[in-house]
Amino acid sequence: MTGLTMPNIALIGLFLTHIRTCGASNILVSPLIGKGSHFYLSAAIGEQLLVRGHNLTYLVSNAFEDHVKKSRFGEMFHYEVFKHSIPVEDIHELFHNLSRSLSSVGPGNEYNVSKILFETQRNDCTAILEDEFLMTRLRSANFSSLLYDTTWVCGAIIGEVLNLPYFAVVPYPSPCFHTASEGSGFNPTYVPSIMTSYSSVMSFKERLINSLAFVIYHNLGIQVTIKPYKPICERFGIADPYDLMKKIKLWFVNSDFVAEYPCALPPNVIPVGGLTSRDPMQLSSDIEDFIQGSESDGIIICSFGTILTLDDSNMALFKMFVEAFTRLPQRVLWLVKTSPPFPVPSSIKILPWLPQNDILGHPQTRAIFFHGGHNSYYEAIYHGVPVVAMPVIADHFDVSNRVVHFGLGLKLNKDNITSDMIYEALYEVTSNSTYMQTAKRMSANLRNRPMKPAERAAFWIDHALNHGTDNLEISAEHLNIFQYYLLDVIAFIFLVIIFSVYFTIKCIKVVCSRICRFRNPTIKEKAK
Ligand SMILES: *[C@@H]1O[C@H](CO)[C@@H](O)[C@H](O)[C@H]1NC(C)=O
Ligand SMILES: *[C@@H]1O[C@H](CO)[C@@H](O)[C@H](O)[C@H]1NC(C)=O
Ligand SMILES: *[C@@H]1O[C@H](CO)[C@@H](O)[C@H](O)[C@H]1NC(C)=O
Ligand SMILES: *[C@@H]1O[C@H](CO)[C@@H](O)[C@H](O)[C@H]1NC(C)=O
Ligand SMILES: *[C@@H]1O[C@H](CO)[C@@H](O)[C@H](O)[C@H]1NC(C)=O
Ligand SMILES: *[C@@H]1O[C@H](CO)[C@@H](O)[C@H](O)[C@H]1NC(C)=O
């Protein structure tokens, strides 16, 4: 009921090494660049592939090499490091600039920084493919397959150039949106598109907007994420980047229908929502003592990942946070790289890094205040902790809408945020027991599965390496849009109906006029 304990995982591991039919293989993983949530998703799968006896090699960038090697995964995997197309300092500054989006009003800044990020990622791709030493090492490593994060199309390109079958991780919410080209049932009648605040029940107007949003965002997504890689594919003589998507053997979508709008997934799309959630480990004594000191009031976690960094532009925001936290009866554990330059009361503990999953699993944790990151969303659900979300960019808004829809907590708008609003939202989710009850119910549901998400992903990769995936793929890729939506069949049936009606009317007219001509003379004769 409460998930598997560590010894159980080890036992299953032992059991699996016995039932495995195919030998261990070398698997290459491209987790974007090795930063933050994208790395942790792929690393969670990698950890379970290790349990199954495989050998994992992660392709990370020189800007985040140290970061991944110092993480708890550092010793588990082998690493190959590629060099960014721009200096490492510029990469760090780029992410720092992105983090300042939190305190800027409106979407301008995010857009500008994202644009530079996308360009850099495309140039990084060329840099990797042109690095002959790196490519030669990758070629000679005898990899059986590649696992990559769909955020970076380059993953598929590397797989194609190395001639490897590839699997994909989709880190975002809305699984049917992201795998619609695979034949997922993205029906805008009951599946809300990304960047809409709709739920699964929509009015006519909402369904109309939702349908248009799907078409627009889907095409926009292709334009922004896929199209810039076209020249690279042409240059290296491989298929169009859009066609590479269709060659993905298995898709792992970081979603679970306990916290996502239900929709139909094809057999090669595997839901693995909650990849980074796991049972809590012992906390360091300073954190444990701080939590114990909160007594029955408990603690609240404030974690904006790497999105919140202190600088002059967001000092006011930091003051607001401190004001709100000070009024709460709970103590607050706050993740920030640098402490603010003004005094902070002892009920707030600022940490440059915190073991979020382990603290969420602590019985005295009452809520988490965060940016709507998808991994944190599932970690909160896994541990049954209510949330307050303040979205900043991209999928944070979709996650925040789900938070409200499923009754897990509340969302705040960063553009007109005040200290009172933060206090009130946190006070509401911690004092109104409805949120805790919902969180506990969702947690029990998410945990009641035969395998944990990362185990499920590793199992299916193993299965695919042994048996292939041809039997799992919906044969939709050969169909054009008319065939896919049966427009040709509908048009044909429609024509048949029109002809039948036309023919019937014609017949009735002919019969009628015959009868009339037959009758009329008699009438005329009678009249005579
Ligand atoms: C390459 O890996 C496969 C398993 O994936 C193994 O059967 C084969 O012996 C390996 N070849 C070399 C040259 O190491
Ligand atoms: C695992 O992969 C690395 C390449 O990244 C290779 O150097 C190493 O020999 C492999 N180990 C085994 C046991 O195949
Ligand atoms: C970060 O922002 C500053 C100020 O807006 C700008 O001068 C700088 O070029 C930006 N850095 C990068 C790498 O985009
Ligand atoms: C974004 O860039 C454009 C020009 O490229 C500039 O006019 C605009 O002020 C920038 N917006 C922000 C918020 O930095
Ligand atoms: C903040 O903005 C949102 C939408 O932009 C609006 O719905 C909300 O009422 C605003 N709140 C306040 C207190 O102005
Ligand atoms: C608790 O929250 C629920 C859901 O938002 C709401 O319907 C209910 O009225 C709240 N209860 C109290 C006592 O405020």
Side-chain angles (χ1 to χ4, degrees):
M1 284 277 283
T2 54
L4 296 165
T5 55
M6 283 310 283
N8 282 346
I9 292 176
L11 271 181
I12 289 181
L14 211 63
F15 176 62
L16 290 171
T17 39
H18 284 291
I19 56 165
R20 210 175 50 232
T21 54
C22 169
S25 67
N26 293 337
I27 300 173
L28 179 63
V29 184
S30 169
L32 201 54
I33 52 181
K35 185 184 183 297
S37 54
H38 295 275
F39 173 69
Y40 292 122
L41 278 181
S42 300
I45 299 178
E47 192 177 14
Q48 289 303 319
L49 285 167
L50 279 184
V51 172
R52 290 176 167 263
H54 297 292
N55 183 26
L56 278 291
T57 303
Y58 280 66
L59 179 64
V60 298
S61 88
N62 55 346
F64 296 98
E65 178 187 0
D66 290 342
H67 166 76
V68 298
K69 287 186 177 167
K70 274 189 218 141
S71 75
R72 74 180 188 91
F73 300 102
E75 299 286 308
M76 287 184 198
F77 312 133
H78 294 268
Y79 294 96
E80 281 289 352
V81 179
F82 72 85
K83 288 195 193 68
H84 278 292
S85 49
I86 58 176
V88 166
E89 297 74 41
D90 287 2
I91 295 286
H92 290 299
E93 193 182 303
L94 205 56
F95 283 107
H96 181 73
N97 282 2
L98 192 63
S99 75
R100 291 186 3 213
S101 310
L102 187 63
S103 51
S104 72
V105 173
N109 184 47
E110 290 93 320
Y111 174 78
N112 284 7
V113 182
S114 304
K115 206 173 143 214
I116 305 174
L117 257 182
F118 282 130
E119 266 168 37
T120 309
Q121 286 177 351
R122 193 200 49 212
N123 296 338
D124 287 343
C125 190
T126 319
I128 290 178
L129 299 173
E130 280 175 350
D131 185 341
E132 294 200 359
F133 290 116
L134 174 64
M135 291 307 285
T136 307
R137 280 203 306 279
L138 294 180
R139 274 204 186 89
S140 60
N142 191 24
F143 291 119
S144 65
S145 55
L146 174 139
L147 174 70
Y148 83 101
D149 187 307
T150 52
T151 312
W152 199 30
V153 181
C154 196
I157 296 177
I158 296 167
E160 198 65 22
V161 170
L162 295 175
N163 201 16
L164 300 174
Y166 37 94
F167 310 110
V169 183
V170 180
Y172 307 109
S174 208
C176 281
F177 178 89
H178 292 286
T179 58
S181 59
E182 285 308 288
S184 288
F186 189 92
N187 188 334
T189 293
Y190 57 82
V191 187
S193 176
I194 58 165
M195 306 298 267
T196 62
S197 53
Y198 303 147
S199 73
S200 45
V201 179
M202 287 172 264
S203 66
F204 171 77
K205 187 179 146 205
E206 288 171 341
R207 282 185 292 129
L208 179 66
I209 297 173
N210 194 46
S211 306
L212 295 176
F214 169 65
V215 173
I216 291 167
Y217 288 136
H218 215 258
N219 286 304
L220 203 67
I222 290 168
Q223 293 302 320
V224 173
T225 60
I226 300 181
K227 206 166 165 224
Y229 292 85
K230 241 176 140 78
I232 300 180
C233 288
E234 275 164 19
R235 187 173 144 204
F236 287 89
I238 54 174
D240 193 80
Y242 191 71
D243 292 332
L244 296 186
M245 304 290 112
K246 294 180 180 164
K247 293 174 83 171
I248 293 170
K249 299 289 175 195
L250 292 175
W251 295 71
F252 298 103
V253 286
N254 185 23
S255 298
D256 189 287
F257 292 124
V258 71
E260 179 58 76
Y261 302 110
C263 62
L265 299 173
N268 64 333
V269 178
I270 323 278
V272 289
L275 276 174
T276 58
S277 323
R278 54 191 167 77
D279 292 334
M281 292 194 282
Q282 180 96 49
L283 292 166
S284 64
S285 58
D286 65 323
I287 296 181
E288 184 65 49
D289 291 347
F290 180 78
I291 297 178
Q292 291 304 338
S294 71
E295 297 177 0
S296 61
D297 288 324
I299 60 120
I300 291 173
I301 304 171
C302 171
S303 168
F304 281 72
T306 46
I307 282 273
L308 181 66
T309 36
L310 182 79
D311 69 20
D312 295 341
S313 71
N314 57 22
M315 198 62 73
L317 194 71
F318 273 70
K319 290 214 169 92
M320 230 181 256
F321 275 34
V322 171
E323 262 175 58
F325 297 164
T326 308
R327 290 169 65 191
L328 289 164
Q330 289 85 13
R331 288 186 164 189
V332 176
L333 271 168
W334 187 7
L335 170 82
V336 208
K337 280 254 152 34
T338 37
S339 301
F342 47 84
V344 170
S346 63
S347 66
I348 302 173
K349 188 178 178 66
I350 291 182
L351 293 165
W353 179 82
L354 54 81
Q356 184 176 299
N357 180 79
D358 302 333
I359 303 174
L360 279 168
H362 197 285
Q364 269 158 273
T365 302
R366 301 284 179 264
I368 178 171
F369 178 37
F370 76 135
H371 56 297
H374 206 211
N375 289 351
S376 300
Y377 174 53
Y378 278 100
E379 285 173 14
I381 294 168
Y382 184 83
H383 295 292
V385 174
V387 312
V388 172
M390 187 163 84
V392 181
I393 46 167
D395 61 338
H396 301 169
F397 295 93
D398 290 321
V399 170
S400 304
N401 289 330
R402 283 159 176 74
V403 163
V404 175
H405 175 80
F406 290 103
L408 185 66
L410 299 170
K411 71 171 173 185
L412 295 173
N413 180 354
K414 80 173 174 73
D415 290 346
N416 58 12
I417 192 76
T418 63
S419 161
D420 283 346
M421 287 157 83
I422 299 174
Y423 167 76
E424 278 157 20
L426 285 170
Y427 185 79
E428 171 70 10
V429 299
T430 48
S431 62
N432 182 336
S433 62
T434 319
Y435 297 101
M436 187 56 95
Q437 282 160 10
T438 304
K440 294 280 180 243
R441 180 174 47 75
M442 290 173 86
S443 170
N445 188 331
L446 181 64
R447 286 165 180 248
N448 192 5
R449 310 291 157 89
M451 275 191 245
K452 288 200 172 171
E455 291 164 4
R456 195 180 313 134
F459 164 79
W460 277 106
I461 289 177
D462 225 16
H463 191 275
L465 290 175
N466 286 328
H467 310 288
T469 55
D470 290 349
N471 57 321
L472 302 177
E473 285 163 35
I474 287 182
S475 65
E477 66 181 82
H478 316 291
L479 307 175
N480 62 38
I481 193 161
F482 296 102
Q483 294 166 327
Y484 185 80
Y485 289 107
L486 283 172
L487 296 181
D488 49 353
V489 172
I490 293 169
F492 177 78
I493 292 174
F494 192 65
L495 280 180
V496 168
I497 292 172
I498 298 240
F499 267 113
S500 312
V501 170
Y502 176 78
F503 207 68
T504 315
I505 291 172
K506 266 277 186 229
C507 284
I508 291 171
K509 273 192 179 161
V510 168
V511 172
C512 240
S513 63
R514 284 272 162 83
I515 293 171
C516 291
R517 220 183 292 151
F518 178 74
R519 272 196 185 157
N520 284 353
T522 39
I523 294 166
K524 276 178 200 161
E525 271 167 24
K526 269 188 185 167
K528 278 179 191 173

